[in-house]
């Protein structure tokens, strides 16, 4: 299992959520639900835009104490309802006009558990350029996903 972006070019996380795959799938694509959970630590997701189609844009704005800090600009590469989503994922700073930095690949796979919940696997790949340029940031990606996925677990219970 790949765990640390500072020494490996990918992060893998698995979770079992007490919600059906359709609910978890929608949580990754519904802007109102994304605002509840897609920000790590004390950050807040203040805006989310999703053009839900293959090739569509996926944009997340994050802030800390009402101060913009950046977020993500992504492109949806694959959508398999209730089963799989793949993004070309780019990190952006507060100046979104500069465009995404450190192009990476994010894949989320979902499968139904025996109890009607969801087993989710998240794989964030192609992080080697980020690790080479900003190792202190790359070291935080795994922990960032852990915090975000903890919030997702709560958001899908609503």
């Amino acid at each position: 299992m790949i765990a640390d972006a500072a020494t490996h070019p990918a992060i893998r996380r698995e979770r079992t959520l007490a919600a059906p795959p359709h609910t978890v799938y929608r949580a990754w694509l519904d802007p109102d639900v994304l605002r509840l959970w897609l920000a790590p630590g004390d950050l807040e997701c203040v805006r989310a835009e999703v053009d839900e189609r293959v090739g569509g844009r996926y944009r997340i704005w994050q802030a800390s104490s009402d101060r913009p800090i950046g977020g993500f600009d992504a492109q949806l590469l694959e959508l398999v309802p209730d089963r799989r989503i793949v993004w070309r994922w780019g990190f952006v700073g507060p100046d979104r006009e500069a465009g995404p930095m450190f192009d990476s690949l994010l894949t989320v796979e979902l499968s139904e558990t025996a109890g009607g919940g969801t087993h989710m696997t998240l794989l964030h790949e192609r992080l080697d350029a980020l690790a080479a340029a900003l190792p202190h940031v790359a070291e935080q990606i795994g922990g960032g996903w852990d915090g975000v996925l903890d919030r997702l677990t709560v958001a899908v219970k609503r």
Side-chain angles (χ1 to χ4, degrees):
M1 180 163 78
I2 300 168
D4 183 355
T7 58
H8 300 286
I11 298 289
R12 180 185 177 96
R13 294 294 188 261
E14 295 187 37
R15 291 280 194 287
T16 299
L17 300 108
H22 178 73
T23 300
V24 178
Y25 181 83
R26 294 304 317 151
W28 282 95
L29 297 170
D30 182 323
D32 292 332
V33 179
L34 285 166
R35 283 192 295 275
L36 298 174
W37 67 271
L38 193 50
D42 63 351
L43 300 181
E44 179 182 1
C45 179
V46 294
R47 183 173 164 194
E49 291 179 0
V50 178
D51 178 5
E52 191 179 328
R53 62 183 175 84
V54 172
R57 291 187 74 178
Y58 188 99
R59 301 177 79 195
I60 303 297
W61 284 259
Q62 296 174 335
S64 176
S65 303
D66 295 327
R67 183 179 50 88
I69 60 131
F72 310 103
D73 272 2
Q75 179 183 30
L76 289 159
L77 300 177
E78 185 178 343
L79 292 165
V80 180
D82 305 339
R83 301 209 43 224
R84 180 179 166 95
I85 307 171
V86 180
W87 296 261
R88 182 177 177 197
W89 194 264
F91 301 93
V92 293
D95 177 16
R96 296 187 85 93
E97 297 302 315
M101 303 175 290
F102 307 110
D103 190 28
S104 60
L105 186 70
L106 179 66
T107 302
V108 171
E109 294 188 341
L110 309 170
S111 60
E112 188 169 0
T113 63
T118 302
H119 179 80
M120 179 181 67
T121 302
L122 176 144
L123 181 61
H124 197 164
E125 301 174 273
R126 300 184 192 161
L127 296 168
D128 45 344
L130 174 63
L134 299 169
H136 63 287
V137 172
E139 290 171 3
Q140 299 174 33
I141 291 178
W145 278 121
D146 289 337
V148 164
L149 296 179
D150 289 347
R151 285 183 174 183
L152 171 61
T153 299
V154 172
V156 297
K157 285 184 182 179
R158 305 175 132 247

